[in-house]
Amino acid sequence: MASFAVVTLLVVVSLWLYAVKRRPGELDAARARRIQNRWIIGGGLILPISSMALLLVFGIPIGYRMLPLPVAGQQVLQIEVTGHQWWWQVRYPEADIELRNELHIPAGQPVDLQLTSNDVIHAFWVPRLGGKLDMLPGRTNVLRLQADQPGTYHGQCAEFCGTGHAHMKFTVHAHAPDDFAAWLEGADRDE
Amino acid sequence: MSDQQQNRARLHREYDRVWGNWPGWGALAAVNHTSVGLRFIVTGLVFFLIGGVLSMLMRTQLALPEQDIIGPELYNQLFTMHGTLMMFLFAIPVLEGVAMYLIPKMIGARDLPFPRVGAMGYYCYLFGGLIILSSMALSIAPDSGWFMYTPLSSSTYSPGPGSDFWLLGITFVEISSVSGAIELLVAIMRTRSNGMSLTRMPIFCWYIMVMALMIIVGFPPLILASILLELERAAGFVFFEVAGGGDPLLWQHLFWLFGHPEVYISFLPAAGIVSTLLPVFAQRPIVGYRWLVLAVITMGFISFGLWVHHMFTVGIPQLAQAFFSLASMLVAIPTAIQIFAWLATLWTGRVVWSLPMLWILGFLIIFVAGGLTGVMLALVPFNWQVHDTHFVVAHMHYVLVGGMLFPLIAGLYYWLPHVSGRMPSELLGRWAFWLVFVGFNMTFLLMHVTGLLGMPRRIYTYQAGLGWDWLNLLSSIGGFVMAMGVGMLIVDLLLHFRFGRLAPRNPWNADTLEWAVDMPVTTYNFISLPDIGSRHPLWDDRQLPERLESGQGGLVEIQADRRVTWGSDAVTGQVREVVHVPSNSWLPLQTGVLLAVVCLGLLTKFYWVALGASLLALLVILRWSWHNGGHPLAAPLRDDDPQDPPLHSRTCDGPGRWGMLSTLLANGSLFACLLFGWFYFWTVSPQWQVPAQAPLSATPLLLAGLLLSAAALLYHRLTVRLCRGQAQGLAGGLWLCTALGLGHSLVILWLMLDAQLTPRSLAHDAVLAVMLGYLLFHGVLATLLTLLQALRVRLGYVGVRLPYEPMVLRPLWSYTLGVFWIALAGFFLMPMAW
Amino acid sequence: MRWRPHHPVHLILGLCVWSIWFVVLYGGLSVACQLTPPEPQQGPFNWLNVLLWLSTLVVVGLLLWAARVLWRAAPRAEQPLGRHIGVTSAGLYLVSAFSTLAVAMPVLFLPPCI
């Protein structure tokens, strides 16, 4: 996508530069009209419409996969994340675990995060795991997240939420499924 | 001295006497479009410089990781104010200023149709801007971002007065923008010189017409949102709080309903500048005039269908997001049409290289890059990833700086000789360009990368070692390079007034009429008004300026010291009437000052002061409306009144009616947004609550409706008869209308008091209270103005020969009638059916 | 004042229709999702999407028809001005029809309420 954009930019700019330098001979009206239609229809209609079509062909399936559609034959783990000025409250409703500024998930499986806020609008974002979603007071948004590899990922608040915004961070620990089950047990016992 | 020269000198003296500004402090009473337009431009540039300084402070803080030069409190104020200054106090006002300065000259008029409104707009802008800036000096500046998202900006989370400064100040400035837009729209539609049909208008006029319509429809959502939020903050009404049934998302909808079109509002006039300059430097007519008109109109509409793309991360169904995503991509088509029409113009012309062209080339590179990242952002999955990162910061600056600032500077250089009579310096200008261009790209090109690496927006500092360090440092250095370029530009502008080479008339060999006026510019533009036979009057007839100056055009003689210009048919441009416009007046300044006092009274919570000043402002405005039409201070009836064409105040369809219709369009947009808010709450507000018993009772509602309908129908009938020349019973009829209107207003007032609303605890009641207030305001306004008309009939300022003013007022009655019944359906019947 | 084929109101009428249709599309979707959302398993083939798509086709048909009427009427205008406005308006109706169709495309691919 980026390279396509760069190429388009270069082509358009060089065309302009050439057009500026060019010294056309006398043009009769009909010829000028042909040139005009060629550029406007070619560049103004065909170019953007075809690039849009291309973008959509790639874009729609990606978007489709990010939908929190029911997964066949599998219970998706539900985690509640609530934004506060300026920290994250994480709850596992089934295991009754509550955490602060950290999130543990099984790697290789989708999880659904129930996002909401206790005060102002925040936004949940782990750059390396995918898109962001706003956390709004009074509403719950569901974000489907999946970490393919176990590891530690950094997340932060992406919607401006006041003086502590820059420091409103959290970490995501993705465990291999077995480790995750063990962690759940352990965390449960600690309570 | 030959006879001809003597005659010319005499005409100039005469025109100077009638059209000149008063000397000394009297210049503050100036209303002519040249002075007001230049004031807008200069003030806007000052705000631009201040906004630029703020951005330099931010870049200093971000240059290195973990710096403590500026803490989060100040940083939040800085970025809020930077955005606010650049968008509200620089971009729109400067472009409107440019349009106000140029439009009458381009369409061969001597002034805008409502000069006092323009002057008042300027004072509203100036005072509003100063009020916002003063908060910075008191270090209580707004700090919730230029988008003011609730609930962060509501009184719980922003208890200080910062948000109030923003809401009140910006509303004040927006009044100025909307009034300017109405004026420009009516000017273009109704005051073109004889024969300038729609298709003979310079392309710039199409751009400004669409821009004006967009402002008229697009600004009221924010005005409404600001009023609601201020009511919530100051009076505790519930609109954006979940607890009472409100919804913070409504703010985002209203804000972006304004905010996205605003980007195009600032792009369109700039693109209009490009479309005006390119053909001049290519020395051939613009290619694809019709295509451009089509593209501009399309852009004006489609840009309203994009607002949700700022809200892709709030959790809206994906299908709905996809609609907005596609609409966002669609906008690329009219943009591409323009880019390629410009290319074709250059392709078929012989380009004369010069300084403005350099800036246009800069515009092209930066803007196309910004447009391409814009198409990427329209793609929802990508948007989820980079939304609210520095990638978006970079994209937005590419679009706005590239799409607005660069063409604006090109335009400034191009029209400088017009104002000063001198040519700019090529050398300094080139240096300035290259510094700005290189500095800009260094700052923002790198910011794309910083954003893709995950740096969010609006953070005052960041940790070292995330890969953002050197990028930020280079961005900061680039920012300072750009600042040096801007400094050099300012120096160049200032020096040129002193040292610039004297400019010949029409130095660029342009085709449009604004170059037919004297240089440096006068306050009346033309001694005589041209007949237009094509789109390129100055290329057709190189002697035109000379001929106009020696009085060989239309409307030469000054009669009764009136300032006059043509009023013409909106489509064909054939002359229909002589529009007389007011001369210097203190009323705009008085209104501006009083409104500023209202604003300050609200800010400091001295509500009695605010109320008193509002009443005074109302008095001044009524006095202003009094000095119109047949009033001795305007154009009293005389035996030697021109008959063919007549003065506009002697007709039934003058510019005033068009101004009223445009104002009502803005008003209707506000009303529609209120209605939208109501339905929005009913359907999607998370904790919407409806009181057990409907607060409004049917009988008084119907009574109010019947009284209003009777008043409006009677008024309509009176005006129809008046325009047929039948004035029997006019005065009595107007008195009856007044009485009916008064009855209607009293019933509404009674309804409001009787309903026992609890707007402080229920969003339902809060919206209802605002709607009732809205209806009451309109009822009272229409009644009051009709009362004045009745008085004017008695004094002889309105009558068979002066039917103009009742006709101006007529749409207000129809509008009031319309909104009443719609409100009744939406607020009374709909809930019953729910 | 009759809205003859070369009346300038046609310059904006098509896109006004587009705007209203857009609001109805978005509003209707939101309201329907709030009141009786179709099952997400049905994918894009459910009563709501079908309804949205039908409304789209009606609007597109209407706009195309208008474009055709104006296109044919344009050469009959007495003045070049009327012809010019007629042709431009026809173009704008065409643009509106295209925009309507383009914006509604996702109705064919996406389930409505998630």
Side-chain angles (χ1 to χ4, degrees):
Chain A
M1 191 162 65
S3 42
F4 179 73
V6 171
V7 170
T8 315
L9 176 65
L10 287 180
V11 170
V12 171
V13 171
S14 5
L15 278 175
W16 265 57
L17 284 175
Y18 176 67
V20 168
K21 291 274 170 269
R22 211 175 98 92
R23 288 278 169 271
E26 281 304 316
L27 288 168
D28 58 277
R31 222 178 103 70
R33 206 178 163 72
R34 268 208 304 285
I35 293 178
Q36 149 195 339
N37 285 343
R38 197 172 66 207
W39 282 122
I40 294 180
I41 292 171
L45 294 180
I46 297 173
L47 175 76
I49 292 175
S50 51
S51 3
M52 270 166 52
L54 260 175
L55 262 180
L56 288 176
V57 167
F58 289 111
I60 285 185
I62 300 179
Y64 203 81
R65 249 176 283 145
M66 292 166 91
L67 287 177
L69 284 169
V71 181
Q74 194 182 347
Q75 188 67 36
V76 178
L77 176 66
Q78 303 286 322
I79 307 174
E80 294 171 12
V81 184
T82 307
H84 296 259
Q85 274 183 331
W86 293 277
W87 58 281
W88 310 80
Q89 181 192 10
V90 179
R91 245 175 57 80
Y92 294 74
E94 287 145 39
D96 199 26
I97 302 173
E98 209 172 300
L99 300 170
R100 196 183 163 97
N101 292 341
E102 57 179 314
L103 187 63
H104 293 261
I105 57 170
Q109 297 172 9
V111 292
D112 276 355
L113 304 178
Q114 312 269 348
L115 305 174
T116 187
S117 165
N118 192 45
D119 37 51
V120 303
I121 300 174
H122 304 277
F124 181 96
W125 187 36
V126 186
R128 283 169 58 203
L129 293 187
K132 56 181 75 66
L133 202 57
D134 285 0
M135 313 168 82
L136 302 153
R139 286 167 194 273
T140 304
N141 284 330
V142 181
L143 179 69
R144 169 137 326 157
L145 207 66
Q146 175 163 346
D148 292 327
Q149 299 299 324
T152 305
Y153 303 88
H154 293 279
Q156 58 209 348
C157 176
E159 182 63 66
F160 178 62
C161 59
T163 40
H165 172 61
H167 297 301
M168 187 167 163
K169 297 174 182 168
F170 63 97
T171 41
V172 178
H173 302 279
H175 307 279
D178 295 346
D179 297 349
F180 180 73
W183 174 85
L184 263 185
E185 295 256 311
D188 209 9
R189 233 175 300 122
D190 287 349
E191 290 290 313
Chain B
M1 211 190 261
S2 72
D3 274 359
Q4 206 186 1
Q5 274 169 323
Q6 263 178 1
N7 185 35
R8 201 178 285 185
R10 179 187 64 81
L11 281 170
H12 269 295
R13 270 198 311 280
E14 278 279 289
Y15 269 87
D16 269 331
R17 184 173 59 78
V18 173
W19 284 84
N21 294 343
W22 288 332
W25 288 104
L28 293 178
V31 295
N32 78 82
H33 76 103
T34 301
S35 308
V36 173
L38 288 175
R39 283 172 197 179
F40 264 105
I41 297 171
V42 171
T43 313
L45 288 178
V46 171
F47 283 126
F48 168 71
L49 294 181
I50 298 172
V53 170
L54 300 186
S55 68
M56 289 303 103
L57 291 174
M58 285 191 282
R59 273 329 309 176
T60 313
Q61 162 67 16
L62 289 180
L64 299 171
E66 291 161 57
Q67 287 210 98
D68 275 333
I69 311 169
I70 291 169
E73 290 85 7
L74 182 57
Y75 187 84
N76 294 348
Q77 294 186 13
L78 286 178
F79 79 71
T80 303
M81 289 297 283
H82 171 72
T84 306
L85 282 171
M86 291 304 195
M87 294 300 278
F88 292 102
L89 300 179
F90 165 61
I92 302 295
V94 163
L95 291 168
E96 273 198 345
V98 170
M100 282 176 146
Y101 178 89
L102 285 176
I103 286 293
K105 300 179 175 73
M106 280 189 171
I107 59 177
R110 292 199 180 109
D111 206 342
L112 291 165
F114 317 121
R116 292 182 296 194
V117 174
M120 185 200 75
Y122 174 71
Y123 289 119
C124 284
Y125 163 54
L126 178 68
F127 296 144
L130 288 178
I131 286 172
I132 295 173
L133 268 191
S134 69
S135 72
M136 188 105 219
L138 301 169
S139 57
I140 45 170
D143 58 359
S144 337
W146 82 281
F147 40 86
M148 281 276 148
Y149 275 6
T150 52
L152 182 59
S153 59
S154 56
S155 48
T156 323
Y157 302 104
S158 296
S163 303
D164 301 317
F165 271 97
W166 192 94
L167 293 166
L168 293 167
I170 289 301
T171 305
F172 205 17
V173 173
E174 301 218 300
I175 294 174
S176 136
S177 304
V178 174
S179 63
I182 291 169
E183 207 185 359
L184 286 167
L185 182 68
V186 179
I188 297 175
M189 295 214 283
R190 289 291 273 106
T191 64
R192 303 196 299 268
S193 203
N194 190 27
M196 187 183 276
S197 62
L198 273 183
T199 52
R200 286 184 193 148
M201 290 199 307
I203 190 78
F204 189 71
C205 295
W206 281 103
Y207 279 94
I208 297 301
M209 199 149 80
V210 173
M211 172 201 83
L213 274 167
M214 288 181 72
I215 290 180
I216 288 171
V217 179
F219 275 41
L222 183 60
I223 296 182
L224 176 74
S226 303
I227 293 173
L228 297 187
L229 182 52
E230 189 54 36
L231 274 175
E232 178 169 301
R233 288 180 56 90
F237 281 36
V238 182
F239 295 107
F240 306 111
E241 251 175 73
V242 178
D247 188 354
L249 270 188
L250 178 64
W251 170 270
Q252 295 193 20
H253 278 291
L254 291 176
F255 185 86
W256 290 118
L257 199 51
F258 143 85
H260 197 85
E262 207 231 6
V263 175
Y264 290 85
I265 290 170
S266 57
F267 168 67
L268 279 179
I273 292 176
V274 175
S275 290
T276 309
L277 265 57
L278 276 184
V280 173
F281 289 108
Q283 288 292 303
R284 87 179 298 297
I286 184 94
V287 162
Y289 180 89
R290 192 184 286 161
W291 281 100
L292 286 176
V293 171
L294 191 129
V296 173
I297 296 179
T298 309
M299 213 172 202
F301 274 90
I302 296 201
S303 63
F304 278 94
L306 316 183
W307 82 94
V308 171
H309 82 206
H310 295 264
M311 302 164 58
F312 277 167
T313 61
V314 302
I316 285 172
Q318 243 219 342
L319 181 59
Q321 292 189 24
F323 297 151
F324 290 96
S325 170
L326 272 156
S328 313
M329 291 183 188
L330 274 183
V331 152
I333 298 174
T335 315
I337 290 180
Q338 291 180 66
I339 302 252
F340 281 90
W342 294 330
L343 171 65
T345 308
L346 294 176
W347 194 270
T348 48
R350 290 198 183 83
V351 178
V352 185
W353 191 253
S354 67
L355 198 50
M357 275 302 286
L358 197 58
W359 285 93
I360 289 184
L361 209 68
F363 146 78
L364 174 83
I365 297 171
I366 293 176
F367 180 73
V368 171
L372 288 167
T373 52
V375 175
M376 296 185 196
L377 280 172
L379 205 63
V380 177
F382 184 71
N383 187 296
W384 281 348
Q385 185 58 27
V386 296
H387 181 78
D388 274 325
T389 68
H390 271 72
F391 188 89
V392 175
V393 181
H395 157 71
M396 174 187 88
H397 281 88
Y398 263 73
V399 175
L400 286 171
V401 176
M404 182 263 161
L405 186 68
F406 274 67
L408 179 72
I409 295 176
L412 278 184
Y413 271 118
Y414 175 76
W415 280 297
L416 257 187
H418 202 277
V419 182
S420 64
R422 290 168 187 275
M423 300 298 279
S425 122
E426 284 276 325
L427 182 70
L428 267 179
R430 269 166 208 272
W431 268 93
F433 170 79
W434 285 111
L435 283 175
V436 171
F437 185 77
V438 171
F440 174 84
N441 281 300
M442 194 166 155
T443 312
F444 293 105
L445 193 64
L446 297 176
M447 228 178 247
H448 287 111
V449 183
T450 329
L452 287 174
L453 289 177
M455 182 166 171
R457 295 169 82 168
R458 300 167 188 140
I459 55 169
Y460 77 102
T461 189
Y462 52 95
Q463 283 176 344
L466 294 169
W468 307 343
D469 311 18
W470 63 277
L471 287 166
N472 272 298
L473 182 61
L474 285 179
S475 276
S476 293
I477 295 172
F480 284 98
V481 174
M482 185 176 166
M484 275 159 54
V486 173
M488 194 163 284
L489 186 83
I490 300 293
V491 170
D492 187 21
L493 288 186
L494 293 179
L495 286 182
H496 117 282
F497 277 95
R498 180 86 178 74
F499 300 108
R501 178 166 56 82
L502 281 183
R505 193 165 223 169
N506 195 359
W508 314 105
N509 189 22
D511 57 336
T512 38
L513 270 180
E514 83 270 23
W515 292 102
V517 309
D518 258 357
M519 282 183 8
V521 70
T522 57
T523 50
Y524 46 84
N525 298 342
F526 304 97
I527 294 280
S528 62
L529 301 179
D531 284 335
I532 306 297
S534 86
R535 223 175 270 157
H536 316 282
L538 292 197
W539 283 349
D540 291 349
D541 176 7
R542 287 177 203 271
Q543 302 308 314
L544 188 65
E546 288 285 304
R547 291 201 294 109
L548 293 180
E549 208 186 352
S550 54
Q552 293 176 41
L555 215 55
V556 189
E557 287 308 321
I558 294 181
Q559 202 184 22
D561 285 358
R562 280 192 296 257
R563 296 184 176 187
V564 290
T565 187
W566 287 136
S568 51
D569 184 83
V571 182
T572 61
Q574 298 301 323
V575 165
R576 273 170 41 170
E577 68 257 306
V578 176
V579 176
H580 54 88
V581 292
S583 2
N584 298 330
S585 161
W586 290 107
L587 290 164
L589 180 59
Q590 288 164 357
T591 315
V593 168
L594 285 169
L595 289 179
V597 173
V598 174
C599 196
L600 289 172
L602 291 176
L603 267 178
T604 47
K605 311 218 179 283
F606 286 115
Y607 293 120
W608 288 108
V609 177
L611 185 68
S614 318
L615 291 177
L616 278 176
L618 179 70
L619 276 182
V620 174
I621 291 172
L622 290 181
R623 180 155 177 261
W624 172 339
S625 78
W626 197 251
H627 294 172
N628 262 331
H631 189 275
L633 287 176
L637 283 177
R638 291 157 54 112
D639 294 334
D640 60 347
D641 271 355
Q643 295 304 323
D644 189 31
L647 290 174
H648 80 271
S649 53
R650 277 59 161 164
T651 68
C652 280
D653 187 22
R657 193 164 156 267
W658 293 65
M660 175 60 94
L661 289 170
S662 320
T663 313
L664 291 178
L665 184 61
N667 196 343
S669 163
L670 186 108
F671 177 77
C673 289
L674 189 56
L675 215 55
F676 164 74
W678 174 251
F679 288 123
Y680 180 85
F681 279 158
W682 273 89
T683 46
V684 294
S685 184
Q687 292 178 25
W688 178 243
Q689 302 150 40
V690 182
Q693 204 176 355
L696 297 184
S697 34
T699 327
L701 262 180
L702 276 179
L703 179 64
L706 289 178
L707 285 169
L708 178 62
S709 309
L713 290 177
L714 175 62
Y715 192 89
H716 189 87
R717 224 180 109 69
L718 287 173
T719 46
V720 169
R721 282 165 49 89
L722 181 64
C723 282
R724 286 204 201 115
Q726 300 160 343
Q728 313 91 301
L730 178 64
L734 287 174
W735 286 112
L736 185 57
C737 260
T738 311
L740 288 169
L742 188 66
H744 162 79
S745 310
L746 286 174
V747 176
I748 298 261
L749 186 64
W750 184 81
L751 259 174
M752 268 176 103
L753 299 176
D754 179 60
Q756 290 176 331
L757 300 173
T758 51
R760 290 205 170 100
S761 48
L762 272 189
H764 176 277
D765 286 11
V767 183
L768 204 57
V770 171
M771 178 56 82
L772 285 172
Y774 183 87
L775 295 178
L776 181 64
F777 174 80
H778 281 81
V780 170
L781 186 69
T783 307
L784 192 59
L785 295 179
T786 309
L787 174 73
L788 291 187
Q789 287 302 310
L791 291 173
R792 286 172 82 83
V793 173
R794 173 182 285 182
L795 292 170
Y797 302 157
V798 167
V800 180
R801 287 178 66 197
L802 290 160
Y804 174 68
E805 288 172 34
M807 283 303 287
V808 173
L809 199 52
R810 186 165 89 183
L812 180 65
W813 275 108
S814 317
Y815 177 83
T816 309
L817 185 66
V819 291
F820 178 85
W821 289 111
I822 294 175
L824 189 88
F827 282 72
F828 186 72
L829 298 180
M830 189 279 290
M832 293 203 309
W834 194 258
Chain C
M1 188 164 51
R2 273 171 299 132
W3 289 358
R4 288 172 301 256
H6 50 268
H7 193 281
V9 78
H10 293 291
L11 290 174
I12 57 169
L13 210 56
L15 284 159
C16 282
V17 170
W18 176 82
S19 312
I20 293 166
W21 167 82
F22 193 81
V23 170
V24 169
L25 182 78
Y26 176 53
L29 176 70
S30 310
V31 172
C33 283
Q34 209 66 28
L35 300 180
T36 50
E39 285 292 307
Q41 279 87 353
Q42 284 180 307
F45 305 104
N46 56 70
W47 67 270
L48 183 55
N49 281 33
V50 169
L51 205 66
L52 293 175
W53 184 245
L54 283 181
S55 78
T56 305
L57 290 183
V58 170
V59 173
V60 169
L62 208 69
L63 290 168
L64 286 177
W65 171 77
R68 195 179 137 86
V69 169
L70 257 73
W71 180 258
R72 297 180 134 208
R76 290 204 299 271
E78 300 102 48
Q79 288 172 338
L81 174 62
R83 272 199 294 283
H84 199 286
I85 292 176
V87 171
T88 315
S89 308
L92 278 160
Y93 276 113
L94 216 57
V95 166
S96 322
F98 175 76
S99 309
T100 309
L101 203 61
V103 169
M105 284 306 276
V107 171
L108 296 178
F109 303 108
L110 291 171
C113 296
I114 49 173

